[in-house]
Amino acid sequence: MGGDLWKLNDTQLMAETLAISADIHALQVQRVDLIIAMVERDTVKEHDYRSPAHWLAAATHLEIGECQRITSLAQLLRLEPEVHAAYSAGALDAEKARQIAYFCQHYPTTMNPCDFTKARTILLDHASQNIATKATVRALIHRLEHLFGTGDGPPPGEDTDRNELFVSTTLHGRIVIKADLDAVTGARLRHLLSPLAAPRPETNGITDDRPASKRHADAFAQLLHLVETTGVVPVEGSVKPHLSITASIKDLTTNTAVKELFTHSPEHGYATEPWAGPLSLDTARMLACDCQITRILLDDHGVPLAHGRTHRSATTAQRRALAVRDGGCAFPGCTTPPAWADAHHIDHWVDGGSTDLDNLVLLCGHHHRLMHHTGWDVELTEERRPQFIPPASVDLFRTPIPGNRPDLVA
Protein backbone atom coordinates (compact mmCIF):
# COMPACT_ATOMS: atom_id res chain seq x y z
CA MET A 1 0.00 0.00 0.00
CA GLY A 2 2.96 2.29 0.87
CA GLY A 3 2.49 5.84 -0.37
CA ASP A 4 -1.27 5.48 -0.85
CA LEU A 5 -1.97 5.52 2.89
CA TRP A 6 -2.92 9.20 2.73
CA LYS A 7 -6.01 8.21 0.74
CA LEU A 8 -7.43 6.24 3.69
CA ASN A 9 -9.62 7.89 6.30
CA ASP A 10 -9.30 7.03 9.99
CA THR A 11 -11.83 4.21 9.85
CA GLN A 12 -10.10 2.63 6.87
CA LEU A 13 -6.68 2.89 8.54
CA MET A 14 -7.96 1.02 11.57
CA ALA A 15 -9.70 -1.59 9.42
CA GLU A 16 -6.56 -2.20 7.36
CA THR A 17 -4.46 -2.53 10.52
CA LEU A 18 -6.84 -5.16 11.90
CA ALA A 19 -6.88 -7.01 8.58
CA ILE A 20 -3.07 -7.10 8.43
CA SER A 21 -2.95 -8.28 12.05
CA ALA A 22 -5.33 -11.13 11.19
CA ASP A 23 -3.19 -12.05 8.18
CA ILE A 24 -0.03 -12.07 10.33
CA HIS A 25 -1.69 -14.36 12.88
CA ALA A 26 -2.85 -16.68 10.10
CA LEU A 27 0.70 -16.90 8.75
CA GLN A 28 2.07 -17.56 12.24
CA VAL A 29 -0.46 -20.39 12.65
CA GLN A 30 0.62 -21.80 9.31
CA ARG A 31 4.27 -21.64 10.37
CA VAL A 32 3.48 -23.53 13.59
CA ASP A 33 1.61 -26.20 11.59
CA LEU A 34 4.57 -26.60 9.24
CA ILE A 35 6.99 -26.97 12.15
CA ILE A 36 4.70 -29.56 13.75
CA ALA A 37 4.86 -31.55 10.51
CA MET A 38 8.66 -31.17 10.46
CA VAL A 39 8.88 -32.44 14.05
CA GLU A 40 6.69 -35.45 13.29
CA ARG A 41 8.76 -36.34 10.23
CA ASP A 42 12.07 -35.52 11.94
CA THR A 43 12.88 -33.50 8.83
CA VAL A 44 15.79 -31.33 9.89
CA LYS A 45 17.95 -34.11 11.34
CA GLU A 46 18.15 -35.63 7.88
CA HIS A 47 19.79 -32.35 6.86
CA ASP A 48 22.24 -32.41 9.82
CA TYR A 49 20.54 -29.74 11.96
CA ARG A 50 20.20 -30.26 15.72
CA SER A 51 16.59 -29.06 15.83
CA PRO A 52 13.99 -27.13 13.81
CA ALA A 53 14.98 -24.04 15.81
CA HIS A 54 18.61 -24.27 14.69
CA TRP A 55 17.56 -24.84 11.10
CA LEU A 56 15.18 -21.86 11.19
CA ALA A 57 17.85 -19.60 12.68
CA ALA A 58 20.37 -20.68 10.05
CA ALA A 59 17.92 -20.20 7.17
CA THR A 60 16.45 -16.85 8.24
CA HIS A 61 17.44 -13.62 9.95
CA LEU A 62 15.66 -14.68 13.16
CA GLU A 63 17.68 -15.04 16.36
CA ILE A 64 17.99 -18.52 17.88
CA GLY A 65 16.01 -17.46 20.96
CA GLU A 66 13.02 -16.42 18.84
CA CYS A 67 13.28 -19.63 16.80
CA GLN A 68 13.28 -21.70 19.97
CA ARG A 69 10.14 -19.93 21.20
CA ILE A 70 8.41 -20.66 17.89
CA THR A 71 9.38 -24.33 17.84
CA SER A 72 8.63 -24.89 21.54
CA LEU A 73 5.12 -23.51 20.95
CA ALA A 74 4.70 -25.90 18.02
CA GLN A 75 5.80 -28.85 20.13
CA LEU A 76 3.36 -27.92 22.92
CA LEU A 77 0.43 -27.40 20.55
CA ARG A 78 1.21 -30.71 18.84
CA LEU A 79 0.43 -32.41 22.15
CA GLU A 80 -2.63 -30.27 22.95
CA PRO A 81 -5.05 -30.30 19.98
CA GLU A 82 -7.79 -28.32 21.82
CA VAL A 83 -5.41 -25.46 22.55
CA HIS A 84 -4.05 -25.73 19.01
CA ALA A 85 -7.57 -25.37 17.61
CA ALA A 86 -8.24 -22.24 19.69
CA TYR A 87 -4.93 -20.72 18.59
CA SER A 88 -5.61 -21.53 14.93
CA ALA A 89 -9.07 -19.95 15.15
CA GLY A 90 -7.55 -16.70 16.42
CA ALA A 91 -9.06 -16.98 19.90
CA LEU A 92 -5.58 -17.02 21.51
CA ASP A 93 -2.31 -15.31 20.81
CA ALA A 94 0.94 -17.26 20.94
CA GLU A 95 1.83 -16.44 24.57
CA LYS A 96 -1.57 -17.36 26.03
CA ALA A 97 -1.60 -20.54 23.95
CA ARG A 98 1.85 -21.37 25.32
CA GLN A 99 0.73 -20.79 28.93
CA ILE A 100 -2.36 -22.97 28.64
CA ALA A 101 -0.65 -25.75 26.68
CA TYR A 102 2.17 -25.84 29.26
CA PHE A 103 -0.40 -26.13 32.07
CA CYS A 104 -2.11 -28.96 30.24
CA GLN A 105 1.20 -30.81 30.10
CA HIS A 106 1.98 -30.15 33.78
CA TYR A 107 -1.41 -30.11 35.51
CA PRO A 108 -1.64 -31.17 39.19
CA THR A 109 -1.55 -34.93 39.69
CA THR A 110 -4.66 -34.74 41.92
CA MET A 111 -6.82 -33.62 38.98
CA ASN A 112 -9.05 -36.36 37.58
CA PRO A 113 -9.83 -36.31 33.82
CA CYS A 114 -13.15 -34.56 34.35
CA ASP A 115 -11.58 -31.79 36.46
CA PHE A 116 -8.78 -31.38 33.93
CA THR A 117 -11.22 -30.98 31.03
CA LYS A 118 -13.20 -28.35 33.01
CA ALA A 119 -10.00 -26.49 33.92
CA ARG A 120 -8.83 -26.41 30.29
CA THR A 121 -12.23 -25.11 29.17
CA ILE A 122 -12.17 -22.38 31.83
CA LEU A 123 -8.69 -21.28 30.75
CA LEU A 124 -9.57 -21.24 27.04
CA ASP A 125 -12.79 -19.31 27.68
CA HIS A 126 -11.01 -16.71 29.80
CA ALA A 127 -8.01 -16.34 27.49
CA SER A 128 -10.26 -15.74 24.47
CA GLN A 129 -11.77 -12.62 26.06
CA ASN A 130 -10.40 -9.22 25.08
CA ILE A 131 -9.78 -8.34 28.73
CA ALA A 132 -7.48 -11.32 29.21
CA THR A 133 -3.74 -10.76 29.57
CA LYS A 134 -0.78 -13.04 30.23
CA ALA A 135 -0.95 -11.96 33.86
CA THR A 136 -4.63 -12.85 34.29
CA VAL A 137 -4.15 -16.22 32.60
CA ARG A 138 -1.16 -16.90 34.84
CA ALA A 139 -3.18 -15.92 37.91
CA LEU A 140 -6.01 -18.27 36.91
CA ILE A 141 -3.52 -21.11 36.41
CA HIS A 142 -2.08 -20.45 39.87
CA ARG A 143 -5.57 -20.61 41.39
CA LEU A 144 -6.19 -23.97 39.73
CA GLU A 145 -2.82 -25.31 40.86
CA HIS A 146 -3.48 -24.14 44.42
CA LEU A 147 -6.95 -25.70 44.41
CA PHE A 148 -5.70 -29.10 43.30
CA GLY A 149 -2.20 -29.00 44.74
CA THR A 150 -2.93 -30.94 47.95
CA GLY A 151 -1.95 -34.46 46.87
CA ASP A 152 1.32 -36.32 46.91
CA GLY A 153 4.50 -34.39 46.23
CA PRO A 154 5.22 -30.71 46.80
CA PRO A 155 2.61 -28.08 45.96
CA PRO A 156 3.08 -26.41 42.56
CA GLY A 157 4.62 -23.30 44.09
CA GLU A 158 7.37 -25.40 45.68
CA ASP A 159 7.90 -27.92 42.89
CA THR A 160 11.53 -27.57 41.79
CA ASP A 161 10.91 -29.81 38.76
CA ARG A 162 9.07 -26.87 37.17
CA ASN A 163 11.96 -24.46 37.56
CA GLU A 164 13.10 -22.79 34.36
CA LEU A 165 15.63 -20.05 33.59
CA PHE A 166 16.27 -18.65 30.14
CA VAL A 167 19.28 -16.48 29.33
CA SER A 168 19.16 -14.92 25.86
CA THR A 169 21.41 -12.48 24.05
CA THR A 170 19.58 -9.58 22.43
CA LEU A 171 20.45 -6.36 20.60
CA HIS A 172 23.95 -4.93 21.22
CA GLY A 173 24.89 -8.07 23.16
CA ARG A 174 22.54 -7.26 26.06
CA ILE A 175 21.19 -10.17 28.07
CA VAL A 176 17.55 -10.91 28.87
CA ILE A 177 16.87 -13.25 31.79
CA LYS A 178 13.49 -14.91 32.29
CA ALA A 179 12.94 -17.36 35.12
CA ASP A 180 10.15 -19.36 36.73
CA LEU A 181 11.40 -20.51 40.14
CA ASP A 182 9.89 -22.34 43.07
CA ALA A 183 8.99 -20.29 46.13
CA VAL A 184 12.01 -21.34 48.19
CA THR A 185 14.58 -20.64 45.47
CA GLY A 186 12.85 -17.35 44.75
CA ALA A 187 12.93 -16.41 48.41
CA ARG A 188 16.65 -17.19 48.63
CA LEU A 189 17.30 -14.93 45.65
CA ARG A 190 15.19 -12.14 47.14
CA HIS A 191 17.01 -12.36 50.49
CA LEU A 192 20.36 -12.07 48.72
CA LEU A 193 19.24 -9.14 46.56
CA SER A 194 17.31 -7.23 49.22
CA PRO A 195 20.21 -5.66 51.17
CA LEU A 196 22.06 -4.88 47.94
CA ALA A 197 18.97 -3.32 46.33
CA ALA A 198 18.14 -0.96 49.19
CA PRO A 199 18.09 2.75 48.26
CA ARG A 200 21.38 4.48 48.90
CA PRO A 201 21.41 6.74 51.97
CA GLU A 202 20.77 10.40 51.29
CA THR A 203 24.01 12.31 50.68
CA ASN A 204 24.18 16.10 50.76
CA GLY A 205 20.42 16.27 50.30
CA ILE A 206 20.51 14.00 47.22
CA THR A 207 18.28 10.93 47.43
CA ASP A 208 18.59 7.71 45.48
CA ASP A 209 16.24 8.20 42.52
CA ARG A 210 16.83 4.79 40.92
CA PRO A 211 13.58 2.88 40.28
CA ALA A 212 13.22 -0.52 41.93
CA SER A 213 14.00 -2.33 38.67
CA LYS A 214 17.31 -0.48 38.33
CA ARG A 215 18.22 -1.07 41.99
CA HIS A 216 17.56 -4.80 41.58
CA ALA A 217 19.62 -4.93 38.39
CA ASP A 218 22.51 -3.17 40.16
CA ALA A 219 22.09 -5.56 43.11
CA PHE A 220 22.26 -8.58 40.81
CA ALA A 221 25.50 -7.31 39.26
CA GLN A 222 26.91 -6.72 42.75
CA LEU A 223 25.85 -10.22 43.81
CA LEU A 224 27.79 -11.69 40.89
CA HIS A 225 30.81 -9.59 41.88
CA LEU A 226 30.66 -10.84 45.48
CA VAL A 227 30.40 -14.48 44.37
CA GLU A 228 33.37 -14.10 42.03
CA THR A 229 35.56 -12.40 44.64
CA THR A 230 34.96 -15.15 47.23
CA GLY A 231 36.41 -17.73 44.86
CA VAL A 232 33.72 -20.24 45.91
CA VAL A 233 32.55 -20.96 42.39
CA PRO A 234 32.25 -24.17 40.34
CA VAL A 235 34.78 -25.31 37.76
CA GLU A 236 34.01 -25.69 34.05
CA GLY A 237 36.57 -26.90 31.55
CA SER A 238 39.18 -27.19 34.36
CA VAL A 239 38.91 -23.46 35.18
CA LYS A 240 36.60 -21.38 37.32
CA PRO A 241 34.01 -19.21 35.55
CA HIS A 242 35.56 -16.10 34.10
CA LEU A 243 35.21 -13.56 31.33
CA SER A 244 37.52 -14.21 28.39
CA ILE A 245 38.15 -10.92 26.63
CA THR A 246 40.05 -11.07 23.34
CA ALA A 247 41.55 -7.85 22.01
CA SER A 248 44.50 -6.62 20.01
CA ILE A 249 47.29 -4.91 21.95
CA LYS A 250 47.03 -1.97 19.52
CA ASP A 251 43.32 -1.66 20.33
CA LEU A 252 43.81 -1.77 24.08
CA THR A 253 46.69 0.66 24.34
CA THR A 254 46.73 4.39 23.74
CA ASN A 255 50.51 4.52 23.99
CA THR A 256 52.00 5.47 20.61
CA ALA A 257 55.30 3.74 21.36
CA VAL A 258 53.53 0.45 22.09
CA LYS A 259 51.49 0.75 18.89
CA GLU A 260 54.68 1.25 16.89
CA LEU A 261 56.28 -1.77 18.59
CA PHE A 262 53.43 -4.03 17.43
CA THR A 263 53.22 -2.77 13.86
CA HIS A 264 51.86 -6.06 12.49
CA SER A 265 49.17 -6.46 15.12
CA PRO A 266 45.63 -5.87 13.76
CA GLU A 267 43.53 -2.98 15.01
CA HIS A 268 39.82 -3.85 14.99
CA GLY A 269 38.31 -1.11 17.13
CA TYR A 270 36.56 -3.57 19.46
CA ALA A 271 37.13 -6.54 21.76
CA THR A 272 35.18 -9.79 21.93
CA GLU A 273 33.84 -12.11 24.63
CA PRO A 274 32.51 -15.61 23.77
CA TRP A 275 29.10 -15.08 25.41
CA ALA A 276 28.64 -11.33 25.06
CA GLY A 277 30.09 -10.93 21.56
CA PRO A 278 31.68 -7.61 20.52
CA LEU A 279 32.52 -5.21 23.36
CA SER A 280 33.72 -1.63 23.26
CA LEU A 281 37.40 -1.02 24.00
CA ASP A 282 36.45 1.19 26.96
CA THR A 283 34.65 -1.76 28.55
CA ALA A 284 37.57 -4.10 27.78
CA ARG A 285 39.98 -1.71 29.50
CA MET A 286 37.61 -1.42 32.48
CA LEU A 287 37.40 -5.22 32.86
CA ALA A 288 41.19 -5.44 32.74
CA CYS A 289 41.52 -3.13 35.75
CA ASP A 290 40.73 -5.60 38.52
CA CYS A 291 40.97 -9.11 37.16
CA GLN A 292 43.30 -11.96 36.32
CA ILE A 293 44.98 -11.48 32.95
CA THR A 294 46.39 -14.27 30.82
CA ARG A 295 48.61 -13.03 28.02
CA ILE A 296 48.30 -14.99 24.77
CA LEU A 297 50.44 -13.72 21.90
CA LEU A 298 48.99 -14.21 18.40
CA ASP A 299 50.61 -14.00 15.00
CA ASP A 300 49.27 -11.90 12.12
CA HIS A 301 46.73 -14.63 11.36
CA GLY A 302 45.39 -14.87 14.91
CA VAL A 303 47.24 -18.10 15.73
CA PRO A 304 48.66 -18.32 19.30
CA LEU A 305 52.44 -18.00 19.49
CA ALA A 306 53.04 -17.97 23.23
CA HIS A 307 50.93 -18.40 26.34
CA GLY A 308 51.99 -16.29 29.31
CA ARG A 309 51.20 -16.80 32.97
CA THR A 310 48.23 -15.28 34.76
CA HIS A 311 48.75 -12.06 36.73
CA ARG A 312 46.52 -10.59 39.38
CA SER A 313 46.17 -6.85 38.96
CA ALA A 314 45.57 -6.04 42.61
CA THR A 315 46.64 -8.29 45.48
CA THR A 316 44.66 -8.82 48.65
CA ALA A 317 47.17 -6.70 50.58
CA GLN A 318 46.86 -3.88 48.05
CA ARG A 319 43.06 -3.96 48.23
CA ARG A 320 43.25 -3.72 52.03
CA ALA A 321 45.54 -0.72 51.74
CA LEU A 322 43.20 0.86 49.20
CA ALA A 323 40.27 0.27 51.56
CA VAL A 324 42.11 2.23 54.26
CA ARG A 325 43.20 5.02 51.93
CA ASP A 326 39.96 5.45 49.94
CA GLY A 327 37.40 4.09 52.39
CA GLY A 328 35.36 2.59 49.54
CA CYS A 329 34.53 4.15 46.20
CA ALA A 330 36.67 7.29 46.06
CA PHE A 331 34.33 9.20 43.72
CA PRO A 332 32.98 12.35 45.44
CA GLY A 333 29.75 11.67 47.33
CA CYS A 334 29.66 7.91 46.70
CA THR A 335 29.03 5.68 49.73
CA THR A 336 29.84 2.28 48.21
CA PRO A 337 31.93 0.23 50.70
CA PRO A 338 35.35 -1.24 49.79
CA ALA A 339 34.08 -4.81 49.37
CA TRP A 340 31.79 -3.68 46.55
CA ALA A 341 34.41 -1.65 44.68
CA ASP A 342 36.90 -2.44 41.91
CA ALA A 343 40.58 -1.51 41.84
CA HIS A 344 40.86 0.86 38.88
CA HIS A 345 44.20 1.54 37.17
CA ILE A 346 44.73 5.29 36.80
CA ASP A 347 47.25 4.65 34.01
CA HIS A 348 46.09 1.51 32.22
CA TRP A 349 48.33 -1.54 32.53
CA VAL A 350 48.47 -1.93 28.74
CA ASP A 351 49.98 1.56 28.54
CA GLY A 352 52.67 0.65 31.04
CA GLY A 353 50.73 1.54 34.17
CA SER A 354 52.05 -0.28 37.21
CA THR A 355 50.03 -2.27 39.72
CA ASP A 356 50.88 -0.34 42.86
CA LEU A 357 48.98 1.89 45.23
CA ASP A 358 50.00 5.09 43.47
CA ASN A 359 48.30 3.87 40.29
CA LEU A 360 45.16 2.34 41.83
CA VAL A 361 41.91 3.82 43.13
CA LEU A 362 38.77 2.11 44.41
CA LEU A 363 35.64 2.74 42.33
CA CYS A 364 32.16 1.22 42.46
CA GLY A 365 30.79 -0.35 39.29
CA HIS A 366 28.88 2.79 38.28
CA HIS A 367 31.80 5.17 38.69
CA HIS A 368 34.24 2.64 37.23
CA ARG A 369 32.15 2.65 34.04
CA LEU A 370 31.98 6.45 34.23
CA MET A 371 35.76 6.72 34.19
CA HIS A 372 36.10 4.42 31.18
CA HIS A 373 33.18 5.59 29.06
CA THR A 374 33.12 9.37 29.64
CA GLY A 375 35.55 12.24 29.86
CA TRP A 376 36.13 11.96 33.63
CA ASP A 377 39.75 11.55 34.76
CA VAL A 378 41.31 10.68 38.10
CA GLU A 379 44.76 11.43 39.47
CA LEU A 380 46.60 11.35 42.80
CA THR A 381 47.59 14.57 44.53
CA GLU A 382 50.99 15.20 46.10
CA GLU A 383 49.44 13.86 49.32
CA ARG A 384 48.63 10.64 47.40
CA ARG A 385 44.90 11.21 47.61
CA PRO A 386 42.54 10.72 44.63
CA GLN A 387 41.03 13.75 42.94
CA PHE A 388 38.64 13.68 40.02
CA ILE A 389 38.65 15.93 36.97
CA PRO A 390 35.26 16.40 35.31
CA PRO A 391 34.86 16.61 31.54
CA ALA A 392 34.41 20.02 29.93
CA SER A 393 30.70 19.24 29.48
CA VAL A 394 30.38 19.27 33.29
CA ASP A 395 32.95 21.97 34.09
CA LEU A 396 34.43 24.04 31.27
CA PHE A 397 37.57 24.70 33.33
CA ARG A 398 37.84 21.03 34.46
CA THR A 399 38.51 22.01 38.06
CA PRO A 400 39.70 18.99 40.11
CA ILE A 401 37.28 17.70 42.76
CA PRO A 402 38.72 16.00 45.87
CA GLY A 403 37.70 12.39 46.28
CA ASN A 404 36.14 10.89 49.37
CA ARG A 405 38.35 11.06 52.43
CA PRO A 406 37.87 8.47 55.22
CA ASP A 407 37.67 9.95 58.69
CA LEU A 408 40.44 7.67 59.96
CA VAL A 409 42.92 8.87 57.35
CA ALA A 410 44.68 12.17 57.95
Side-chain angles (χ1 to χ4, degrees):
M1 187 170 293
D4 295 332
L5 292 178
W6 65 271
K7 298 179 181 180
L8 303 180
N9 59 35
D10 292 351
T11 301
Q12 291 170 326
L13 280 173
M14 291 187 289
E16 286 293 330
T17 301
L18 293 177
I20 293 296
S21 298
D23 290 342
I24 291 174
H25 180 79
L27 290 171
Q28 290 174 333
V29 169
Q30 187 176 354
R31 181 171 60 185
V32 164
D33 291 341
L34 290 168
I35 291 176
I36 289 175
M38 292 171 63
V39 170
E40 292 175 343
R41 298 183 190 181
D42 207 11
T43 303
V44 299
K45 287 190 177 179
E46 296 179 2
H47 294 79
D48 298 326
Y49 286 98
R50 290 169 54 191
S51 69
H54 287 85
W55 165 79
L56 189 59
T60 67
H61 293 296
L62 296 175
E63 293 287 339
I64 183 63
E66 177 64 19
C67 295
Q68 289 172 335
R69 284 190 288 273
I70 294 169
T71 56
S72 66
L73 174 63
Q75 290 167 334
L76 281 170
L77 295 183
R78 173 174 172 262
L79 301 174
E80 297 298 331
E82 291 82 2
V83 184
H84 186 190
Y87 173 64
S88 300
L92 306 175
D93 64 14
E95 288 306 312
K96 297 187 189 72
R98 186 191 310 278
Q99 286 178 297
I100 297 174
Y102 184 85
F103 167 80
C104 292
Q105 287 293 302
H106 301 85
Y107 63 89
T109 56
T110 53
M111 268 189 175
N112 59 44
C114 183
D115 289 332
F116 167 71
T117 301
K118 289 180 180 178
R120 184 179 59 203
T121 301
I122 291 172
L123 287 170
L124 291 174
D125 288 345
H126 172 74
S128 64
Q129 299 175 22
N130 288 337
I131 60 172
T133 64
K134 288 196 301 181
T136 60
V137 173
R138 186 184 304 115
L140 186 53
I141 289 174
H142 285 176
R143 287 178 60 188
L144 290 168
E145 289 176 334
H146 178 73
L147 181 63
F148 290 93
T150 57
D152 295 334
E158 300 168 23
D159 187 358
T160 58
D161 289 339
R162 301 185 181 208
N163 287 2
E164 293 180 320
L165 191 146
F166 303 94
V167 182
S168 304
T169 304
T170 64
L171 192 63
H172 304 305
R174 296 186 63 81
I175 299 296
V176 171
I177 300 175
K178 180 181 178 182
D180 181 6
L181 305 174
D182 65 278
V184 175
T185 303
R188 292 167 60 194
L189 178 62
R190 284 173 173 257
H191 279 294
L192 289 171
L193 291 177
S194 181
L196 302 176
R200 299 190 187 105
E202 182 175 322
T203 304
N204 298 327
I206 300 176
T207 58
D208 187 353
D209 60 354
R210 294 175 300 162
S213 58
K214 180 66 170 67
R215 288 191 281 108
H216 278 91
D218 291 345
F220 186 72
Q222 190 60 54
L223 183 62
L224 294 178
H225 176 75
L226 292 174
V227 171
E228 291 168 345
T229 53
T230 61
V232 187
V233 289
V235 172
E236 182 180 36
S238 301
V239 295
K240 292 184 177 180
H242 63 284
L243 290 178
S244 298
I245 308 299
T246 302
S248 163
I249 184 68
K250 289 177 69 176
D251 279 324
L252 283 182
T253 186
T254 58
N255 189 304
T256 304
V258 175
K259 287 181 179 290
E260 292 176 351
L261 182 64
F262 293 89
T263 54
H264 296 293
S265 179
E267 196 163 0
H268 303 295
Y270 62 89
T272 59
E273 203 283 327
W275 281 107
L279 295 174
S280 70
L281 295 178
D282 286 335
T283 294
R285 295 187 187 106
M286 181 189 73
L287 292 172
C289 275
D290 194 15
C291 67
Q292 289 185 336
I293 299 163
T294 301
R295 184 183 67 245
I296 302 177
L297 299 181
L298 308 178
D299 64 14
D300 293 346
H301 304 288
V303 178
L305 291 173
H307 188 187
R309 66 187 181 88
T310 299
H311 304 272
R312 176 164 293 280
S313 291
T315 66
T316 301
Q318 287 174 323
R319 288 189 62 89
R320 288 173 179 167
L322 287 170
V324 173
R325 189 195 71 187
D326 297 343
C329 177
F331 197 88
C334 186
T335 59
T336 300
W340 298 0
D342 301 326
H344 167 70
H345 283 72
I346 297 174
D347 292 324
H348 201 270
W349 67 271
V350 174
D351 297 330
S354 58
T355 304
D356 56 40
L357 294 181
D358 288 340
N359 193 45
L360 296 173
V361 60
L362 286 183
L363 293 174
C364 68
H366 171 74
H367 291 119
H368 197 176
R369 291 187 291 273
L370 189 75
M371 301 305 298
H372 280 276
H373 292 280
T374 68
W376 280 88
D377 291 318
V378 59
E379 62 184 15
L380 292 186
T381 65
E382 293 181 357
E383 294 79 20
R384 302 175 67 201
R385 300 306 308 274
Q387 67 177 9
F388 294 81
I389 305 170
S393 58
V394 175
D395 178 3
L396 185 62
F397 300 101
R398 305 200 71 193
T399 305
I401 304 172
N404 289 330
R405 189 180 183 89
D407 293 337
L408 296 180
V409 178

